[in-house]
Every structure is written in structure tokens, then in C-alpha cells.
Amino acid sequence: MNAAPGPSAQEIRHAAALLREGKLVAFPTETVYGLGANALDEAAVARIFEAKGRPTSSPIIVHVSGVEMARSLVTEWPPAAELLARQFWPGPLTLVLKKQQAVPSLVTAGLETVGVRMPAHPVAQALIEAAQLPVAAPSANRFTQLSPTTAQHVREGLGKRVDYILDGGPCSVGIESTVLSLAEPIPVLLRPGGISRQQIEAVIGAISQVSGAPAASAHPAPGMHPRHYSPRTRLLLVRNGELPRTGAGAYLQLQHSPLHEARETIAMPLDPHAYAAQLYRVLHELDARSYDWIAVDTPPDTPDWEAVRDRLRRAACNE
Ligand code: TXA
Ligand code: MG
């Protein structure tokens, strides 16, 4: 999973020291790279918004070393949180719970809740352990741009806006965590992701869902800006291999052969997890080629493709 040699213990200590000084450190998680700051330091968190160019109306996920640290940030730790953390942590599941006062309202965009998650990546865990701090971290990209799944993506996207980058190789999950609110009477799926709704329902029973396109003003499902996770190139979701007839472009093929010519056709994995693991990297690469369009073979309308379909819908400009 973490095939690259990865940062040394000294680099981790250095990064942890920077976090404690209020600086920004980008680090790998199993989902995407995060842009981290001390979650309890409001000025440090303000720098995240600045570096991303992100409106402060979007709350930021807080990364923790385990259940104990998570509990220190929330006022209630309901049985569902305990069950889910036991089953899926460390891993790509963010739990939204009522926040403690110590969590600055800038982290939560003024909401009374905070999203917490224990990442599975060993470098992320080592960083949090070394810093002895909860680490607020959105994806380490400029607002509305593609999420980074390699350290190189972070360098290209944020450059000098980040104080330090820990390189842990490519992310294995490849799309962001599932965000589940436990602050409502019935748990609400705010963002599909690395852990599927079926996996969650197998543990805590039925959950409800905030669907589709959200208001521009966000909340309570922020991050749900219609255009999010987008390449610069026009991305089109297509069916049955129907590509645009004009301009030069690339086709991300799943099940349908292209009916017209594409400059480049990429055969994507038929397994949704393998597809997710490659998606952002492929889009980053294609985006660098300045095509007129990227056409994506629409994935099946089945539950196992929910998270991938969600990201593609947000990246596309035809919906
Ligand atoms: O996989 C991930 O979750 C990555 C890695 C770095 O951990 N992080 C990430 O963060 O994707 P970000 O900031 O790009 O997306 C966080 C999303 C927000 O857009 C929002 O939808 C939701 O999580 N969120 C966070 N805190 C919330 C809260 N208190 N209430 C509702 N939604 C919240
Ligand atoms: Mg993001």
C-alpha cells in the first residue's frame, strides 16, 4: 500500500514540530493528501483556507490518532460512533458529531458539529502521534480543483503555499472519505466515499441520505458545491461511447467502446475500488495535456459505484 520508501522518522518529527508552530504540512492519507494544521489553533486553521482559496463556509475534517482523541473533541460519543469506529477505523470514514467548545468555529464553519476521522495511512498516523495534536486537514488542493493523490500533485497545486510536504507515495483508496453525520436522530450520509453505505448499514442499520445538488450556500452538507473536484478541462459524462464530434479529447472507457475518435482512450478498471484508486491520477495527467474535453463512460447505477459516480458528477459540466 505504501510502497514508496516514505519519510524518515526525522522528517516526521520536523513536520510535527511545524504543526505545533502553527505551520501547514501536507501529508498522505489512504484517501487523498491532506493539508494539515493544528486543529486547535485558529490562526493556523485560517492559513488552510488562505492556502486553498477556500471559502470559510466549508468545514474541515479533523484527523485523530484514535477514539480517545476523537472523544476529546466532541460532547457526545453515541453507541453508533463506537460501533463504526471499531469496525472502520483507521479508515476512510468521517463521523460528524456535536463539537466541544475547544474546537474553533473556523474549523467547523460555524456549525455546532465537527467531522472526525482516524486515517489508515502509517505516515498520517505517525504525524498525528508525533505532534500530539488533532490535525485539521481538507484535501491538499486549491478550492474546486482536483484532489491530490500524490505528493507531486500537491507541489503542483499548492507550491509555496504549504510549508512542508510529507511524501508517502500514491494514495491507495484514491477518493475522499465517506462523511456520515451522527448528530441527527437518524444518521445522514453527507458524502459517499471509501466506505460504502451498505457497509455502514450492516453495522448500524438504515441511514438517510442528503442527495444530489446542494444549495450554493452549503450546510448542512457543505463541500457539496456543484463544481468540486474538477479538472480544468471540460469533463463530460457520456453513455454508450457517444463522444463529442468536435475538438480533441480523451476517453475514459469502462464498458463502452468509443463510437467516434478520441485522441486517447484509457481503459479504466471494471472494479469500483480499483477505478477510484486511479481516477484523480488519470484526470491530473489528462488535464496537463490541454485537451478540449475529457469524456467519461458513465459508471453503472449500482451501489458499489456510488462514490465514484458522485465525484464524476461533481467534476462534470454537463449535469
Ligand atoms: O478523505 C478525506 O476526507 C480527505 C482526507 C485529507 O482526509 N479530506 C477531505 O476534506 O476530503 P475536505 O475538506 O476536502 O472535505 C471535507 C468535507 C466537507 O466538504 C464537508 O462536506 C464535510 O467533509 N464536513 C466536514 N465537517 C463537517 C461538519 N461539521 N458537518 C458537515 N459536514 C462536514
Ligand atoms: Mg476537497
Side-chain angles (χ1 to χ4, degrees), residues 183-199:
E184 321 281 329
I186 295 176
V188 184
L189 183 66
L190 297 177
R191 178 177 76 181
I195 301 289
S196 73
R197 171 218 295 269
Q198 286 67 30
Q199 285 175 288

Side-chain angles (χ1 to χ4, degrees), residues 25 154 224 232 278:
V25 173
V154 180
M224 306 275 137
R232 286 182 302 268
Q278 292 193 17

Side-chain angles (χ1 to χ4, degrees), residues 3-313:
S8 65
Q10 196 191 347
E11 286 174 286
I12 302 263
R13 277 199 305 274
H14 177 61
L18 290 174
L19 285 180
R20 299 194 66 88
E21 288 166 20
K23 301 249 163 60
L24 299 185
V25 173
F27 62 96
T29 81
E30 74 280 25
T31 60
V32 300
Y33 274 71
L35 178 61
N38 177 357
L40 303 177
D41 177 345
E42 186 144 24
V45 173
R47 299 192 57 224
I48 294 179
F49 286 99
E50 232 174 84
K52 279 186 67 93
R54 166 158 155 161
T56 52
S57 56
S58 263
I60 297 179
I61 291 170
V62 178
H63 298 71
V64 296
S65 55
V67 167
E68 197 185 332
M69 189 183 277
R71 292 186 72 150
S72 75
L73 301 172
V74 302
T75 58
E76 279 167 40
W77 184 254
E82 184 62 29
L83 288 170
L84 290 168
R86 232 181 257 166
Q87 188 75 27
F88 300 117
W89 281 8
L93 177 65
T94 298
L95 300 176
V96 172
L97 294 153
K98 297 218 169 70
K99 81 173 188 77
Q100 285 281 2
Q101 281 209 319
V103 180
S105 63
L106 191 57
V107 172
T108 66
L111 298 172
E112 287 307 308
T113 54
V114 61
V116 290
R117 132 171 151 83
M118 179 189 184
H121 199 292
V123 172
Q125 291 177 358
L127 178 66
I128 301 166
E129 281 296 337
Q132 288 286 303
L133 287 172
V135 177
S139 51
N141 52 288
R142 295 279 288 167
F143 181 60
T144 77
Q145 292 185 356
L146 280 173
S147 292
T149 55
T150 65
Q152 186 56 27
H153 294 158
V154 180
R155 271 180 224 115
E156 286 164 8
L158 293 177
K160 294 221 166 70
R161 294 186 177 97
V162 49
D163 296 302
Y164 198 65
I165 302 175
L166 288 169
D167 187 345
C171 303
S172 59
V173 174
I175 58 172
E176 298 82 353
S177 64
T178 302
V179 180
L180 181 75
S181 173
L182 295 177
E184 321 281 329
I186 295 176
V188 184
L189 183 66
L190 297 177
R191 178 177 76 181
I195 301 289
S196 73
R197 171 218 295 269
Q198 286 67 30
Q199 285 175 288
I200 292 170
E201 291 189 329
V203 176
I204 59 167
I207 61 176
S208 59
Q209 172 162 40
V210 169
S211 61
S217 62
H219 324 172
M224 306 275 137
H225 299 266
R227 278 203 70 152
H228 207 163
Y229 316 106
S230 311
R232 286 182 302 268
T233 315
R234 205 154 64 93
L235 188 142
L236 303 158
L237 277 168
V238 302
R239 296 191 182 270
N240 305 317
E242 284 283 358
L243 307 190
R245 286 161 196 265
T246 56
Y251 181 47
L252 263 57
Q253 178 174 348
L254 198 54
Q255 290 158 317
H256 304 96
S257 301
L259 294 185
H260 321 288
E261 197 184 344
R263 196 62 69 77
E264 186 173 356
T265 293
I266 295 174
M268 293 297 284
L270 296 172
D271 168 72
H273 298 286
Y275 187 111
Q278 292 193 17
L279 178 61
Y280 289 144
R281 181 183 53 76
V282 167
L283 292 179
H284 274 282
E285 278 170 23
L286 293 177
D287 215 14
R289 306 232 228 290
S290 303
Y291 285 129
D292 300 307
W293 44 263
I294 299 169
V296 180
D297 195 0
T298 307
D301 195 12
T302 51
D304 49 338
W305 285 94
E306 186 178 10
V308 166
R309 276 201 319 274
D310 171 82
R311 299 309 185 277
L312 288 172
R313 219 182 42 238

